[in-house]
Amino acid sequence: PLLKKLFWPSLSTFVIIAAGYEATSFITNLYNQHWLLGIAVGFLGGLIVISGTYSLYKGWRSRTRLKKRQRQQEAISGLLEVSSYGQANSLLAEVSEEISKTANIEKLQQDYDNRKQQIHNDQELIQIYSSTILKGLDSAAIEVVTKHATEAAAMVALSPLAAVDMALVAWRSSKMIQQLSALYGCPQTALGRFEM
């Protein structure tokens, strides 16, 4: 198991060092041929490194957010199995706060707040949350899927080439997953979607 865990970090580190060495040699050779060409390619390489680092950071943040959501789901599932009071409120508020960063759930939250009462135990609060906020998000998700499926079908119908069809469907599917993950408060980057 340890060797398996070390494989990808080791390979990634090796590839990054090798690519960095090759890029440095390439830019140095270009600079020796003509200084302006070397500076231009060096600047372009710098942009690639900065944007790549930023993408990796966003991917790491998305992955951290997704793991946190999974822990929240496990905690909520645990509360559904026992009869308890006072534990679900803060957990559900935390989930709502995260979802509200990427989706407008103000009306759904008001509906949930109007329906919950102090006499409700944790199981009942989770059921009310599910029937208000999550049900509303599910309806919005169905709309997103329907919209993207319709658009993809129209694009495929207009395209004469199979390769273009596949590219269009892949692009629309990627956009759909991006919108769905944002809707549920766990926006994913392209790297995160491949990892999932």
Side-chain angles (χ1 to χ4, degrees):
L2 180 62
L3 287 175
K4 190 176 180 182
K5 286 182 179 178
L6 289 174
F7 175 74
W8 288 111
S10 302
L11 180 65
S12 302
T13 304
F14 175 77
V15 169
I16 288 169
I17 291 170
Y21 176 77
E22 285 295 323
T24 305
S25 300
F26 178 66
I27 291 168
T28 304
N29 288 338
L30 285 177
Y31 186 81
N32 291 335
Q33 290 177 16
H34 194 282
W35 67 271
L36 188 59
L37 188 60
I39 289 174
V41 173
F43 178 74
L44 185 62
L47 284 177
I48 291 169
V49 168
I50 290 168
S51 63
T53 304
Y54 179 68
S55 294
L56 286 173
Y57 171 71
K58 280 184 70 178
W60 172 78
R61 280 191 61 204
S62 296
R63 189 169 184 219
T64 304
R65 190 180 291 129
L66 187 61
K67 284 186 175 181
K68 183 180 179 183
R69 181 59 57 80
Q70 288 169 341
R71 287 193 299 271
Q72 290 168 337
Q73 284 180 330
E74 288 170 9
I76 289 171
S77 296
L79 291 177
L80 285 171
E81 293 174 6
V82 295
S83 183
S84 59
Y85 281 88
Q87 295 179 41
N89 235 339
S90 59
L91 191 57
L92 295 174
E94 192 179 312
V95 172
S96 289
E97 185 183 343
E98 288 173 18
I99 292 172
S100 65
K101 290 176 184 175
T102 54
N104 183 8
I105 60 165
E106 198 173 318
K107 289 181 181 177
L108 298 173
Q109 186 69 46
Q110 282 177 353
D111 190 21
Y112 167 70
D113 290 338
N114 291 337
R115 289 182 60 185
K116 72 173 182 175
Q117 296 176 13
Q118 288 185 343
I119 59 166
H120 290 133
N121 64 20
D122 289 337
Q123 289 178 345
E124 291 167 335
L125 283 176
I126 293 168
Q127 288 167 356
I128 294 168
Y129 191 89
S130 179
S131 65
T132 53
I133 294 178
L134 294 183
K135 189 175 180 182
L137 290 175
D138 290 344
S139 298
I142 290 170
E143 288 177 18
V144 169
V145 171
T146 305
K147 176 188 169 196
H148 281 276
T150 306
E151 289 175 359
M155 289 177 180
V156 167
L158 295 173
S159 169
L161 301 172
V164 175
D165 289 348
M166 289 189 297
L168 286 171
V169 169
W171 171 62
R172 294 309 298 165
S173 297
S174 177
K175 294 294 282 183
M176 181 184 71
I177 292 169
Q178 187 177 3
Q179 285 187 4
L180 288 174
S181 62
L183 180 67
Y184 286 99
C186 280
Q188 293 297 303
T189 61
L191 186 65
R193 291 195 294 272
F194 280 122
E195 198 173 341
M196 288 167 64

